[in-house]
Amino acid sequence: MARFLPVAPFDCVVFGATGDLTMRKLLPALYDRFRDRQFSSTSRIIAVARTAMDTDEYRQKAETALRQFVLPANLDAETLQAFLALVSYQTVDALSDEGWADLVATLSERPEQVRPFYLATSPELYGPICQKLARHGGLHPLSRVVLEKPIGHDLASARAINNAVGEVMPESQIFRIDHYLGKETVQNLLALRFANPIFERLWNADMIDHVQITVAETVGVEGRGGYYDRSGALRDMVQNHMLQLLCLLAMESPISLDADAVRDEKLKVLRALRRVEPHEVNSFTVRGQYTAGAANGHAVPGYLVDIGSTERSLTETFVALKVQVNSWRWAGVPFYLRTGKRLPRKVSEIVVQFRTPPFSIFPREQHDLQPNRLLIRLQPEEGMRLEMMTKEPGPGGLHLRPTGLDISFEKAFGTRYPDAYERLLMDVVRGNTTLFMRRDEVEAAWGWVEPLLETWAERPEAPRPYVAGSWGPTAAIAMIERDGRTWYESED
């Protein structure tokens, strides 16, 4: 049974309170934590945006969003009204002095409360908002600031944001959020590796052939064409989500679960990533861009139509990478990463493929021997599956087939676990930074990604086209098959 330990009373200030992230993720997450009594009515949720609006108007918008994005079974009228009573709205302009005095006056009514400031805004506003909070006296020792990805557009802009926020906030009070790190399965990577010696003994180049990380989406840019065309898949997914997953898979055991002990080990992995040299880019990376095709049984347009452009774009909606970690544990073990939009299935999964036996007593012409695989599913259904060879039952002789030991977390534990934002928001209130990125992690990730971006920019080749509803350009298949391997595609 899931245990929800209560947190201290807080005043959660959400900047960008009228945006999609707040309505779709943050308010539903806070509602579910309130419903499970993880915080009480002594806490407040202060919604902030520059749009002129009163609290009643905002509560109506919030109620509409909650009815749309909270599971119907979790909605009841009494809890909903009690939650909305905690929500207020204030008009504040991040780039002027309008509204700041009123916001700080509201916060000063309860000086003992923990103050999470969630910046659900564009990254360009992170520095100005924090500077304004400091100038108007809105910060105190129990303040925390939450920064959404992306942290910058490149290494220089990431450093500029970190410098601006760091001028007024100590690192221990800065929470750079990556919602992938709040997923139950991602956190179970630590338990899998360091609480189970059976796996940790196998977790090295002697036993593992390669690792695949796939994050696939069926959707296109979904109205984010302006942002996405300046970003692309490498910046949007690889630099943060996927490199963080790689770190958890490849890191050495921390000396404890202390936040900095865990993050120190992740940083070592980022620093050990082998740089892809310019002459290797075509062999180690594949860029793609979707064209018209089908998704979820319906015809869909290509990327250029989605972003409303009549000219060609060099922005990639798909990227596949071969990544190597220069460490004793992982020498010679490739990590294959792929992510893209308009792919056949929405799935995020990790495949750890073990080496084939050096000798087999079973004739290969009679038995379809498959290597052992550990599948770690992040979505749509969180769980793990260990694939091994077993004998088919029956008296017809010795015939082998692959069989899976399957664990679905929801089925195994018989309860709904909080989603990533629910967990991470409560960690912010507690001041637990373990599942958040530290400044040097962000900058090390940009330091590895940026040379790829620069090499791509220097070359005029457009991303390779792939039909919407396919698994990306055929060059991505060729990249892994040159190494005698193939992408794993689950059937469920």
Side-chain angles (χ1 to χ4, degrees), residues 268-284:
K268 291 177 185 177
V269 176
L270 291 169
R271 289 177 172 169
L273 295 180
R274 180 182 177 277
R275 175 172 172 164
V276 179
E277 300 297 335
H279 69 276
E280 299 173 315
V281 165
N282 288 339
S283 299
F284 284 70

Side-chain angles (χ1 to χ4, degrees), residues 388-442:
M388 60 184 66
M389 299 303 297
T390 59
K391 175 191 174 296
E392 287 187 1
L398 185 62
H399 297 285
L400 303 181
R401 70 177 184 186
T403 308
L405 298 177
D406 214 331
I407 300 174
S408 165
F409 291 150
E410 186 171 348
K411 293 176 182 177
F413 297 103
T415 187
R416 172 197 172 271
Y417 277 79
D419 78 0
Y421 277 101
E422 293 175 54
R423 181 184 307 279
L424 294 173
L425 283 167
M426 295 300 98
D427 277 354
V428 171
V429 176
R430 294 190 188 95
N432 182 357
T433 57
T434 304
L435 298 176
F436 298 82
M437 292 178 289
R438 201 167 58 192
R439 171 182 181 147
D440 48 9
E441 283 184 79
V442 173

Side-chain angles (χ1 to χ4, degrees), residues 7 55 73 92 142 163 182 195 212-213 239 252 264 307 329 335 348 375 391 418:
V7 298
T55 290
V92 178
L142 294 179
N163 288 339
Q212 300 179 24
I213 304 175
Q239 184 272 334
E252 298 296 327
D264 284 346
I307 65 172
R329 181 185 292 266
F335 288 74
S348 297
L375 310 180
K391 175 191 174 296

Side-chain angles (χ1 to χ4, degrees), residues 276 278-286 320-322 459 475 478-480 482-483:
V276 179
H279 69 276
E280 299 173 315
V281 165
N282 288 339
S283 299
F284 284 70
T285 75
V286 174
L321 305 167
K322 178 181 176 181
R459 301 181 179 185
M479 181 186 77
I480 192 171
R482 280 196 299 269
D483 296 339

